[in-house]
Structures are given as C-alpha cells and as structure tokens.
Amino acid sequence: MKLGIVGLPNVGKTTLFNALTGQKAETSSYSNASAKPNVGTAKVPDERLDWLAEYYHPKKYTPATIDFVDVAGVSAGGGKGNEVFQAIRQVDALVEVVRCFDNDDVFLEKADAVRDAESFELELILADLEIVERRLERAKKNAKGGDKKYKREAEMCEALIAHLEAEKPARDFDFTEEDQDILADGGLLTVKPVIYAANLDEEGMAHYAENVHFKALTDYAAKSGAAVLPVAAKFEEDLAELDAEEAQMFMEDLGITERGLDRLIRTSYDLLGYISFLTAGEDDVHAWTIVRGTRAPKAAGKVHTDIERGFIRAEIVAFEDLKACGSMAAAKEKGLFRLEGKDYVMQDGDVTNFRFNI
C-alpha cells in the first residue's frame, strides 16, 4: 500500500510523515519549497502478530508496512503544471492534511478547514485538467486516421474537460465501461480515495469532537464519502521519540486512548479494502497484505510465486480461535484447524500454512 501525504503549505504534512515513518525530514516553512518528495515506510501495528511472536519466539518479526510519499505544499493557483503531483500519481490514496487550529506565529489567516479543503481540491482538479488536455491532443491526432477507439477517447476527454472546468472532481464524472483505461493509467488525482487528516493542536485533540473546524470538515467530507480522522501531528511526532510507557503516560494526560496514527493506518486498510493474513513459526511471524476477496492461491503468491504455482491447499485457523484455544494443538483438537482449497477466499486474521509442490 502506498499513500500520498498532501495539502496546502505548512499545515503539518511533513510533521505527520515524520511521526508515521520515524524519519526526521526537515519541517521548516522553507523546506516545502523543494519539489523532491520525502519517502518512507511505516510498520502496521497488529496485536495479533504480537501475540504470535510471544507464542513462537521467532527469529524474525515482520509486520505489514505502508509506504508514504510526502510532497511539497501547493499554494493556490499552483496545481496546473506543478511537478510535485507527479510523485503521487501512482499512490493508492491521498492523506490530505487540513489545519484545524490557529497559530498566529505561523499563519496570517485564521483556520478554516472547509476553505482549505476546497482550495486544495481545486489544485487537484487543475492538475487533472492538464493531464486530460494532453490526452485529448494525442487522441485527436490518432483519430485522424479514422480509428473509432481514439475518436471515442477524444469525445470522452472533451466531456471530462468540461466537467473539470466546472470545478468538479473526476470522481463525480460518469465514466462508462469504455472509459476505464483513462482511470487505469493512474494519472487522475481526483478519482483517488481521500482521507482527511484533521490536524489539531494538543488541546484540540483532547476534545476534537467539539472542535468547530473538525465538525465542519466532517460535514464537508461526508458529501464525497471521504473519511476524516483527528490527528495532532506535532504531538504524534513527539510521541514517536518516546518509549512505549512514556508515550502511554502522555496520552493518558490528554485523555487520548488510541494514537491517531493507528487509526489512520486502520482507516487506510478499510478504505482500500485491504486485509492481512498471517504466517507464523519459529523462523518468522509475518503479516501479509492482500485485497479483500483474494483467493488462497493468489495469497500464497504473496509469500512466494513458487507456492502459488504449486499450490495444493491451505492449512488455516482463524486467529481469534487460535488465541481462545491457547495453542495450535488445542485448536486442532476442537476442529478449528481447516484445510482449504483453491476456491477459498482468505479472511482477515487467517493464520495460514500453504502446502505446495513444484
């Protein structure tokens, strides 16, 4: 999974990136002038994997990971022709950081989450408009020979351009089955799923549900079905530098029961339809990310292509059953250990061993 961290300048994007990845990318207001993105990886917290590690005491512990791409902030009017968007055209979803607090030392304008969200979406629309205009030019050129495919593409591009020029995102355009190729190339930004990270200060985070900016952003996001998560990026960055016990104490002081980053990662999985199956043993406990609905042989291919090619069956016990029984032997005695074939659809938390022959 790859997520792009985006937003207007100086709203806390890189601070959030540092908190997620443990990196120390420069967060000064001048650092965002660079078009070079920050790229890092975050481990996905998984209590199931922790339990398996306690049970097996493996040589390796391999959680699932998410890649994050943090791009420079885009000012109003900077969407069209902006190279920073090129870095996130291939991400799976956008994490848009929106300021939900005031800081007179940094910002001339008071916080207005909806204003900022609308402003940034317009920049994405401008970037998409540029992409579609170039595609229209190519389609018209190729259609001169009478090719019906390119003629159809040109017609669709013209309709989409009119849609974008009306300041409507591509996700609201009525794409037909014939139009799916323009979606598949990954070029359009306003078709990507969005998670709004409502960035609050520490005080605001403790009572985020009462924050007027958070509430306004939630109402705005509901219109497009986007998710909204409260985060305190600076607080999360500070927490990342503490040990687990100290971090827990700080969270309790603010009345926070769960790190915003854990919610962000979980929401990302839900938004994109991802789940994790687990493999476990003395050598390694490992979480593998797959799309919900994946069948067993395809999941086996995540472990190794040879296992998919020579797949025989999958030995599976649901994690919750394994934990309740306390051991693999007890799960087998209770008939909770299953043998599944090629048509089996993997479930979240399946503890799996693949049998194969090549």
Side-chain angles (χ1 to χ4, degrees):
M1 187 192 305
K2 182 179 286 188
L3 302 179
I5 301 179
V6 300
L8 299 175
N10 305 322
V11 293
K13 298 183 308 302
T14 303
T15 300
L16 180 63
F17 171 82
N18 287 341
L20 284 163
T21 64
Q23 296 195 26
K24 297 186 181 298
E26 179 60 47
T27 58
S28 74
S29 59
Y30 296 102
S31 64
N32 282 338
S34 171
K36 185 177 180 181
N38 298 309
V39 180
T41 299
K43 296 178 181 178
V44 176
D46 194 332
E47 292 181 354
R48 301 170 303 186
L49 208 63
D50 295 338
W51 189 91
L52 290 169
E54 286 292 323
Y55 180 76
Y56 284 103
H57 301 288
K59 298 174 184 176
K60 288 178 61 181
Y61 176 93
T62 313
T65 59
I66 297 178
D67 293 332
F68 287 94
V69 181
D70 166 41
V71 300
V74 177
S75 300
K80 199 167 184 178
N82 198 311
E83 293 182 2
V84 302
F85 286 132
Q86 188 58 38
I88 57 168
R89 293 198 188 280
Q90 301 304 320
V91 301
D92 299 305
L94 302 177
V95 178
E96 183 178 333
V97 182
V98 181
R99 178 169 64 99
C100 292
F101 64 93
D102 288 312
N103 186 329
D104 294 337
D105 294 331
V106 178
F107 302 101
L108 297 176
E109 293 182 314
K110 294 294 184 181
D112 186 330
V114 173
R115 174 201 65 205
D116 291 351
E118 289 177 336
S119 177
F120 189 77
E121 179 156 86
L122 180 58
E123 304 312 316
L124 296 180
I125 289 172
L126 290 172
D128 281 355
L129 186 59
E130 185 176 28
I131 289 290
V132 182
E133 286 173 341
R134 288 205 300 263
R135 186 161 189 145
L136 173 61
E137 186 178 345
R138 291 196 302 270
K140 282 183 173 181
K141 183 178 180 180
N142 292 328
K144 289 181 179 179
D147 192 312
K148 292 183 179 180
K149 173 188 173 183
Y150 288 111
K151 182 181 179 182
R152 165 62 191 155
E153 184 176 338
E155 292 171 349
M156 184 273 295
C157 286
E158 288 175 339
L160 181 54
I161 286 171
H163 179 87
L164 294 168
E165 286 179 337
E167 299 185 2
K168 298 176 183 178
R171 74 177 70 89
D172 295 338
F173 184 75
D174 186 19
F175 289 100
T176 68
E177 288 296 323
E178 294 175 294
D179 302 332
Q180 293 304 306
D181 61 328
I182 196 170
L183 294 174
D185 67 8
L188 295 177
L189 295 170
T190 59
V191 297
K192 295 185 182 298
V194 176
I195 299 172
Y196 288 105
N199 191 17
L200 303 123
D201 54 19
E202 290 185 22
E203 182 179 350
M205 185 64 192
H207 307 284
Y208 70 86
E210 302 167 14
N211 182 283
V212 294
H213 307 298
F214 177 81
K215 289 193 289 186
L217 183 61
T218 299
D219 292 341
Y220 171 79
K223 298 174 184 177
S224 60
V228 182
L229 288 178
V231 297
K234 185 64 177 72
F235 178 69
E236 296 279 0
E237 185 182 36
D238 293 340
L239 280 182
E241 297 180 357
L242 303 176
D243 61 38
E245 186 174 338
E246 288 179 312
Q248 186 62 38
M249 289 176 57
F250 272 91
M251 290 172 61
E252 289 175 358
D253 287 343
L254 285 179
I256 299 172
T257 58
E258 182 182 23
R259 292 191 64 181
L261 305 186
D262 293 346
R263 288 196 300 271
L264 173 59
I265 289 172
R266 188 172 61 248
T267 300
S268 301
Y269 267 66
D270 292 342
L271 182 68
L272 296 170
Y274 288 163
I275 61 172
S276 292
F277 72 91
L278 313 169
T279 55
E282 294 181 357
D283 289 332
D284 186 22
V285 294
H286 201 129
W288 306 88
T289 301
I290 55 174
V291 176
R292 188 178 298 277
T294 299
R295 297 188 185 277
K298 193 70 174 179
K302 293 285 290 186
V303 181
H304 198 286
T305 53
D306 284 348
I307 302 179
E308 179 180 5
R309 185 160 54 92
F311 178 90
I312 299 175
R313 59 181 173 268
E315 302 171 341
I316 290 175
V317 59
F319 172 79
E320 293 301 330
D321 289 339
L322 175 60
K323 183 179 178 181
C325 292
S327 70
M328 190 67 75
K332 289 181 179 179
E333 287 178 6
K334 293 186 177 182
L336 298 173
F337 185 84
R338 314 187 311 271
L339 296 179
E340 301 288 358
K342 293 182 178 180
D343 292 333
Y344 176 71
V345 176
M346 301 293 292
Q347 301 299 309
D348 187 46
D350 278 349
V351 182
T352 309
N353 177 57
F354 294 110
R355 291 190 179 183
F356 67 104
N357 181 43
I358 56 173

